[in-house]
Amino acid sequence: RIHAPGGFRQRPNTVAYPGVINGTMWNKDCIRRELAPVREFQLAYNVHIYVGEFSAVRWAPGAAEYLRDCIELFEEYGWDWSYHAFREWSGWSLEHSDVKGDDQPTSTPTARMQTVLQWFSQNVRAFDP
């Protein structure tokens, strides 16, 4: 499990992505290393990988970059993925600003929303209903 920085519940908001977290430089290369066992399993057993939940709390510094780096790796590996979580809690919301405590959706698309929508726009329909 990879946890994005940014302060959640009682955890402090003292780190940014990319950045050093607990003495480790977290960036796309670090995420790639963390996902390596899953990638190796995929290749060894010729299985399909589905990432059921990933996100970054919306006020985390670098949240859009974290989402972009994760999605780029998922796509590179041919994995399917779902963003966590659409309209469940405003902290995960792509529709709310990056300001903690601002509980109203913004009329301007956030960088996080633009990142996810950019990847959604590349989806290809398997069939027409």
Side-chain angles (χ1 to χ4, degrees), residues 19-100:
V20 177
I21 303 170
N22 296 329
T24 300
M25 179 59 183
W26 278 85
N27 55 25
K28 189 174 182 180
D29 290 334
C30 184
I31 295 171
R32 184 184 300 276
R33 285 190 304 273
E34 288 293 313
L35 294 175
V38 181
R39 178 67 170 153
E40 291 165 10
F41 181 86
Q42 174 191 22
L43 296 174
Y45 296 99
N46 193 31
V47 295
H48 194 81
I49 302 297
Y50 170 62
V51 180
E53 291 186 0
F54 78 104
S55 192
V57 71
R58 64 185 169 92
W59 52 84
E65 292 84 358
Y66 175 79
L67 296 176
R68 182 201 63 228
D69 286 351
C70 287
I71 294 169
E72 285 178 355
L73 289 171
F74 302 159
E75 293 288 329
E76 177 184 328
Y77 297 155
W79 297 355
D80 288 332
W81 52 270
S82 296
Y83 177 79
H84 176 80
F86 185 70
R87 294 186 178 159
E88 176 188 84
W89 172 57
S90 67
W92 305 126
S93 176
L94 298 172
E95 299 173 311
H96 287 69
S97 77
D98 298 344
V99 178
K100 187 175 184 177

